[in-house]
Amino acid sequence: MHQRNLFHLRRQFDAHRPDGFMPTENTDLESPHAAKLRNPDLTYLPEAVMEGEGNTAPADLALIAVEIVSSSNPEND
């Protein structure tokens, strides 16, 4: 169910994605306001950010970050 929901959300967001942004499903977001990295299910980041090495991006550059929360395990999502 999780992947199905993510697929439908991404399809909707892709239809309205601004030029210069790309979706990613495996990028850690870092913020000085959070004690640890977060890895949302879906994030839209500037393409230029994704050209670099590594798998981490500043959270404030994200257009949107989506986390699909399961009803059986919301504390972990």
Side-chain angles (χ1 to χ4, degrees), residues 12-27:
Q12 290 176 40
F13 282 124
D14 281 345
H16 303 281
R17 179 187 53 83
D19 287 339
F21 282 85
M22 66 175 283
T24 177
E25 296 178 10
N26 190 29
T27 300

Side-chain angles (χ1 to χ4, degrees), residues 30-63:
E30 61 183 348
S31 170
H33 307 292
K36 64 180 186 174
L37 296 174
R38 303 293 180 178
N39 191 305
D41 291 317
L42 177 63
T43 307
Y44 282 79
L45 290 164
E47 290 181 36
V49 170
M50 302 309 296
E51 291 173 2
E53 294 288 323
N55 192 40
T56 304
D60 62 341
L61 296 180
L63 183 62

